[in-house]
Amino acid sequence: MDIITGFFGLVEDLTWGWALIPMLVVFGVFITVMTGFVQVRFFKRMFRVLFAKNQTGDPNAISAREALLVSVGGRVGGGNIAGVAVAITLGGPGAVFWMWAIAVIGMATSLVESTLAQLYKRSNGDGTYQGGPAGYIIYGLGAKHKWLAVVYAVCLMLAFAFGFNAFQGNTFAGAVYDSLGVERVWSGIGLAIITGFIVYGGIRRIAKVADVIIPIMAFIYIGLTLLVILSNITEIPGVIWSIIANAFGLEEVVGGGFGAALAQGLRRGLFSNEAGLGSTPNVAATADVRHPISQGITQSFSVFIDTIVICTCTAFIILLSPVYQPGVEGIDGIVLTQQSLVSQVGEWSQYFLTFAILLFAFSSIIYNYYLGETALKVMTARPGALHVLRFAIVIVVFLGATAPGATAVFFFSDPLMGVLAVVNLTVILMLFPVALRILDDFRSQLKAGVERPVFEPTAFPDLDLDHSAWPHAQRVAGPNGRALAKA
């Protein structure tokens, strides 16, 4: 066991410790510059997805909004509540600024990886689609790289479907026990039953559940934050100044100063929004959209929601509270956030926060399951394998919920996520010229007056694409095979 844990510790050091964060930052800046700051240029278009509906009328199709909410549900979790608290405790208020900075850069990276997932997606023949990094490895780089797709799929399943789901189950049961006194075994049974009902319904049911849960979760948390801000409105300028000053070393409130703020902000920000890690493209590929860039813009927006909105809510709750004392590490993580909120709006708020945590955990569980399902399809097409996976997920969630020390067993999740990210970043850099071609196609249609660009796969005969995955092109294409009408 020591050898195994040592091996995964080495993997984590080589990825998160040495290679991954520099790659994410450098690649993110490179993509941002080469795309002409696409996250800024298309920012207004991002909000359209909030009101987008099923565009085909097919009851099985996943809308862009539903795909957005599934991915937001996966991104938003403990990192937005406990992670921000840890970043502020160890890095000071300035860590929040660098979380914002890496989110803005990550928006461009997320746009590119999700665009590639959409471009190379495959139709399931029932109105749904599938794809992701494994898909653009196989169809973008060629079948000779399938081994890399399999490696990616194995890491994806172990890290997210098993490791992180056990952790989320443990978080769920812990929150219920601490606030309501319900024993872990009972909350574990309840969570396992609900999880089984959702996962056996497939991506269609997952999307429908997310379409209800995520807005409720977000509005409750944002609403509590607004109460805190309004009751401390005169202190807002001072908090913003402390964030900026500490970020650039003008004020030092923790040991390490600028360096601590930068390191904590970048690391916690990347853990929170997952931009470039290759997880959310698996969900991005399921959406029925008119153009790959459209879903890239949508997933870029999910990074904005995760970090700029939700993480900022947590930061203001903490920094406006008398509970937070710079340089003091006695209270951190979820406890710091919870006590900060209670000190501002009263004891009743802890129940709302507990409810939000439960929704965070549950939405992450169904998201992690879907990543496992996507990974399984890369490894095998046997129908029975899917049932085994679903049953295993239910068991893992229950075990994670009922065993307080179970999360220590899943020491492999973070190192494997590091491997996923290194593989994904390398691949999207290799396919970046293709992504730029798709971006140019989108922009050229906008310049021609097409308000809602439509992707025509026949215009890219050199790419291995599934033409049946683009039904919009068949309905609005002009006589020369290109989409011309304002649709």
Side-chain angles (χ1 to χ4, degrees), residues 35-125:
T35 58
F37 293 84
V38 67
Q39 67 270 57
V40 177
R41 292 177 178 270
F42 291 145
F43 187 69
K44 288 184 179 180
R45 298 186 69 91
M46 295 179 187
F47 290 89
R48 297 183 181 184
V49 73
L50 294 175
F51 309 101
K53 297 181 179 180
N54 189 312
Q55 298 179 7
T56 62
D58 188 331
N60 292 320
I62 307 298
S63 71
R65 184 183 67 187
E66 290 171 334
L68 167 70
L69 293 175
V70 171
S71 61
V72 168
R75 280 188 167 112
V76 174
N80 302 80
I81 300 180
V84 175
V86 171
I88 292 175
T89 300
L90 300 181
V96 178
F97 177 87
W98 295 113
M99 290 184 74
W100 292 340
I102 198 62
V104 172
I105 294 173
M107 288 172 70
T109 305
S110 184
L111 185 146
V112 170
E113 64 180 352
S114 297
T115 293
L116 290 171
Q118 266 286 321
L119 178 66
Y120 291 105
K121 70 182 180 182
R122 261 42 188 178
S123 172
N124 293 322

Side-chain angles (χ1 to χ4, degrees), residues 91-223:
V96 178
F97 177 87
W98 295 113
M99 290 184 74
W100 292 340
I102 198 62
V104 172
I105 294 173
M107 288 172 70
T109 305
S110 184
L111 185 146
V112 170
E113 64 180 352
S114 297
T115 293
L116 290 171
Q118 266 286 321
L119 178 66
Y120 291 105
K121 70 182 180 182
R122 261 42 188 178
S123 172
N124 293 322
D126 60 356
T128 63
Y129 309 99
Q130 66 180 50
Y136 52 74
I137 289 173
I138 296 173
Y139 303 113
L141 298 181
K144 63 182 180 180
H145 291 89
K146 186 173 182 179
W147 66 271
L148 186 60
V150 173
V151 170
Y152 181 90
V154 170
C155 292
L156 184 69
M157 177 179 290
L158 292 177
F160 282 86
F162 294 126
F164 291 151
N165 264 350
F167 172 76
Q168 293 295 342
N170 192 266
T171 301
F172 180 98
V176 172
Y177 179 77
D178 291 339
S179 62
L180 303 177
V182 177
E183 292 295 332
R184 287 177 174 271
V185 64
W186 296 113
S187 57
I189 291 173
L191 181 61
I193 292 174
I194 297 173
T195 299
F197 174 75
I198 299 300
V199 301
Y200 274 92
I203 184 58
R204 175 69 264 166
R205 185 173 291 168
I206 290 174
K208 286 297 184 184
V209 171
D211 202 15
V212 175
I213 285 180
I214 307 307
I216 294 175
M217 174 178 67
F219 282 127
I220 289 176
Y221 199 56
I222 293 171

